[in-house]
Amino acid sequence: MNRLDSIIKKVLKEEENMSSRYMFFSNLEQMKRQCELLLQLDENTVESILENGHDWAQDHIAEAKNNMDQVFDFLMNQTNDTKKKNMSFVDKDMIMMEGRKKTGTKLCARGKAAAKSKFDVYPSAYANGYAVQVCKGKKPGLDGKKHCSGVYC
């Protein structure tokens, strides 16, 4: 029993020494590793998988991004007061743009038409996302061809 008591005391002492928020940082590190691995996958292969009935994965990534944006914005706002004084203008602009949506870019007519024909509800987040992909030339338009249109080129 004496050996068991010493092991328990050792574990408890180690727990006291660990940051009370170690899981926060551990989860961030895991997310970073997983993102790096996912970004190394062939884009065409992943796109093919998503288009073959697994678009739920895209929804999960979008939701994870929204959650990350909220945590990022909160923590940056909490910590920026002291760090802002030491940052260059470029660093400040990068932080302010992080997690922000691009606004003011018009969808091309090809993208809108393709999205309206594919989705029952337009406009919607899914339809607009699809329209952007058509405008960028990543998805085919109504003519079945992929080519970049408008300001997306």
Side-chain angles (χ1 to χ4, degrees):
M1 258 329 212
N2 198 11
R3 182 169 156 82
L4 181 60
D5 287 338
S6 68
I7 291 173
I8 291 172
K9 285 180 185 178
K10 182 178 177 183
V11 168
L12 291 174
K13 187 171 183 169
E14 285 176 1
E15 284 181 2
E16 285 175 15
N17 293 335
M18 290 179 77
S19 166
S20 63
R21 301 291 178 201
Y22 79 98
M23 285 302 294
F24 177 86
F25 296 104
S26 175
N27 288 337
L28 278 177
E29 288 293 330
Q30 181 179 354
M31 290 165 59
K32 178 184 171 187
R33 282 190 306 274
Q34 289 173 337
C35 285
E36 288 170 349
L37 290 170
L38 288 174
L39 287 169
Q40 291 175 8
L41 295 175
D42 178 58
E43 215 172 291
N44 292 329
T45 302
V46 172
E47 195 169 301
S48 174
I49 292 168
L50 296 176
E51 287 178 0
N52 287 321
H54 298 287
D55 54 349
W56 59 267
Q58 184 171 339
D59 297 340
H60 285 267
I61 292 294
E63 188 61 29
K65 182 199 172 290
N66 288 335
N67 291 335
M68 181 60 83
D69 284 345
Q70 290 176 4
V71 173
F72 178 86
D73 289 343
F74 171 74
L75 289 175
M76 293 309 290
N77 287 331
Q78 294 294 310
T79 60
N80 265 352
D81 293 337
T82 56
K83 289 186 178 181
K84 275 183 186 173
K85 296 171 189 166
N86 299 326
M87 281 187 185
S88 70
F89 287 110
V90 174
D91 292 337
K92 289 178 190 174
D93 288 342
M94 283 178 57
I95 287 172
M96 293 308 290
M97 288 301 293
E98 189 67 37
R100 303 284 189 250
K101 293 180 180 165
K102 186 175 181 182
T103 59
T105 304
K106 301 236 181 217
L107 291 173
C108 66
R110 290 181 68 247
K112 280 186 188 178
K116 285 179 182 180
S117 71
K118 181 174 177 75
F119 293 91
D120 293 332
V121 177
Y122 184 89
S124 71
Y126 290 110
N128 284 338
Y130 185 81
V132 168
Q133 297 299 311
V134 172
C135 293
K136 288 182 176 181
K138 293 186 176 187
K139 299 270 187 202
L142 290 177
D143 59 359
K145 297 178 183 173
K146 297 179 185 180
H147 60 83
C148 191
S149 303
V151 296
Y152 292 94
C153 300

